[in-house]
């Protein structure tokens, strides 16, 4: 069985979609653990609800970012991770992690990359009056949403749609495609 470690900082709805896909048997993988960097993040409750171990990393406990990522790497090795799955993890990874898992760290981002990298990608796209929005799944490198693309899924909106409705559409799309893409990747490279 392929071992996944999920990285999340917030709500964790994508984490939940991955949990659900493994429970349903649509995703043939085991979630070994959650790495989280915010003690109050709801993704921790989701992990607890499903008896998934969670390890919290507080940046203030480490002298440098790479020290923290060394500790995260040790935890991923303890879990015997095959793939690291970023799902709303709000930090760049240091090279210590990237180089230890070459082409085995992926992220989901709510824009059609390379457009609208970084925070509030949806807000950036809406401010630019885009009517074609989308979601990208990409390999993670040291940059901010700069790794090579794996898959992209565009969708259309009407100019006058409510942001909350658009967000809902976007999340529904994310929850559908992320587990599918992960399954495809691990089928090729367990
Ligand atoms: C998602 O929109 C994802 O694309 C981005 O962060 C958000 C995380 O949402 N990287 P959630 O925590 O999975 O609900």
């Amino acid at each position: 069985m392929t071992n996944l470690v999920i990285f999340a900082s917030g709500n964790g709805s994508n984490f939940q979609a991955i949990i659900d896909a493994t429970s349903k048997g649509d995703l043939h993988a085991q979630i070994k653990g959650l790495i989280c960097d915010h003690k109050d993040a709801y993704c921790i409750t989701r992990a607890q609800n499903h008896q998934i171990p969670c390890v919290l990393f507080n940046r203030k406990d480490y002298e440098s970012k790479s020290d923290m990522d060394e500790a995260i790497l040790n935890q991923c090795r303890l879990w015997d991770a095959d793939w690291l799955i970023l799902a709303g993890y709000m930090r760049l990874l240091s090279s210590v992690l990237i180089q230890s898992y070459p082409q085995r760290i992926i992220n989901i981002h709510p824009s059609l990359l390379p457009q609208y990298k970084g925070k509030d990608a949806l807000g950036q796209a809406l401010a630019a009056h885009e009517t074609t929005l989308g979601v990208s799944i990409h390999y993670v490198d040291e940059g901010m949403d700069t790794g090579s693309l794996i898959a992209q899924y565009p969708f259309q909106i009407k100019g006058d749609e409510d942001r909350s409705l658009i967000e809902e559409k976007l999340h529904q799309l994310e929850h559908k495609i992320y587990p599918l893409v992960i399954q495809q990747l691990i089928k090729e490279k367990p």
Side-chain angles (χ1 to χ4, degrees):
M1 189 70 101
T2 303
N3 290 336
L4 309 180
V5 171
I6 315 295
F7 286 50
S9 303
N11 176 28
S13 67
N14 281 282
F15 173 39
Q16 186 69 54
I18 296 167
I19 296 172
D20 295 344
T22 57
S23 314
K24 280 194 229 143
D26 295 339
L27 174 55
H28 303 151
Q30 197 180 356
I31 303 172
K32 296 290 285 192
L34 172 72
I35 300 285
C36 182
D37 61 338
H38 278 288
K39 69 174 172 43
D40 300 322
Y42 187 63
C43 56
I44 298 173
T45 305
R46 295 184 193 271
Q48 285 163 350
N49 289 344
H50 295 272
Q51 291 82 46
I52 295 170
C54 170
V55 180
L56 191 61
F57 289 88
N58 182 350
R59 176 64 184 83
K60 293 196 179 107
D61 295 341
Y62 298 89
E63 263 189 26
S64 68
K65 180 179 161 56
S66 65
D67 281 355
M68 174 161 132
D69 282 359
E70 265 313 331
I72 292 177
L73 175 61
N74 286 338
Q75 185 56 57
C76 291
R77 287 189 169 139
L78 282 175
W79 279 328
D80 203 14
D82 296 305
W83 286 85
L84 310 187
I85 310 292
L86 274 52
Y89 185 67
M90 302 304 282
R91 281 176 191 280
L92 292 179
L93 301 189
S94 351
S95 50
V96 64
L97 270 167
I98 311 276
Q99 284 164 16
S100 303
Y101 285 92
Q103 301 288 90
R104 279 182 180 268
I105 312 178
I106 64 168
N107 181 42
I108 187 163
H109 183 76
S111 80
L112 294 172
L113 290 171
Q115 281 190 302
Y116 312 120
K117 300 182 181 113
K119 280 192 185 153
D120 193 19
L122 175 61
Q124 295 180 50
L126 294 178
H129 306 289
E130 299 283 0
T131 51
T132 304
L133 305 178
V135 173
S136 304
I137 296 170
H138 63 93
Y139 288 107
V140 172
D141 63 13
E142 281 94 338
M144 171 93 73
D145 306 316
T146 49
S148 56
L149 282 170
I150 299 167
Q152 280 190 320
Y153 298 81
F155 66 96
Q156 303 295 324
I157 55 160
K158 298 182 203 91
D160 56 354
E161 263 180 88
D162 228 45
R163 179 172 170 143
S164 60
L165 283 179
I166 298 171
E167 267 173 11
E168 204 180 304
K169 269 190 198 169
L170 185 103
H171 282 128
Q172 277 174 6
L173 178 64
E174 289 188 335
H175 301 161
K176 198 167 104 193
I177 62 171
Y178 209 15
L180 284 175
V181 170
I182 297 167
Q183 174 57 30
Q184 191 58 42
L185 288 170
I186 68 174
K187 207 168 122 193
E188 289 161 15
K189 238 170 46 170

